[in-house]
Amino acid sequence: MGLKLEHIYTYMIDKDEQTNTDPIIVISELPRNGHEYGNNIPIYERRRVQLIFYYPKNYMGPEEGLEQKIKNVLRRYGFYCWSNSGHAMTPDSQNITNTLKFNFKKEVI
């Protein structure tokens, strides 16, 4: 897939991260999005997460290919992409970034 497990983080990138060739992903939770009810009882809670991709400026793989593979895997588990910010280069680190946001339902009962 072009992604190494040691380059996946939750909430922030480890201060000792040293990769210059591999993409990094940061996973974080977004504010909750309400409930779905049945007979006035909460059945599902609508939740959201985001994945921020950091690609080195000399990354050789197609960014869209990696992102599509991850979308496909997450879709199988009920996560649906609702926002794709598009690729941009950061002025400080010169990384290429993209943020994907996903909706999913968490069963309450």
Side-chain angles (χ1 to χ4, degrees), residues 11-108:
Y11 303 106
M12 63 184 230
I13 299 171
D14 186 277
K15 63 180 169 52
D16 297 324
E17 175 63 63
Q18 296 295 319
T19 185
N20 290 323
T21 57
D22 299 316
I24 297 170
I25 296 179
V26 177
I27 303 167
S28 57
E29 186 177 27
L30 295 172
R32 296 179 183 178
N33 195 21
H35 289 85
E36 290 185 17
Y37 294 86
N39 293 330
N40 211 21
I41 299 170
I43 299 172
Y44 291 102
E45 182 178 20
R46 292 189 302 268
R47 313 252 337 241
R48 292 181 171 176
V49 295
Q50 72 179 5
L51 277 62
I52 305 172
F53 293 79
Y54 294 89
Y55 300 98
K57 64 181 174 183
N58 61 346
Y59 182 64
M60 299 304 293
E63 293 93 351
E64 294 87 2
L66 174 62
E67 293 163 11
Q68 188 59 51
K69 287 178 184 177
I70 290 174
K71 284 182 193 179
N72 292 343
V73 168
L74 290 175
R75 191 175 304 122
R76 280 186 257 157
Y77 292 97
F79 291 76
Y80 295 92
C81 186
W82 62 274
S83 177
N84 182 338
S85 68
H87 297 94
M89 186 171 284
T90 59
D92 55 349
S93 65
Q94 299 291 302
N95 285 331
I96 300 166
T97 65
N98 190 15
T99 301
L100 301 179
K101 296 180 181 182
F102 295 83
N103 286 327
F104 69 100
K105 293 180 182 180
K106 180 180 179 186
E107 191 171 342
V108 175

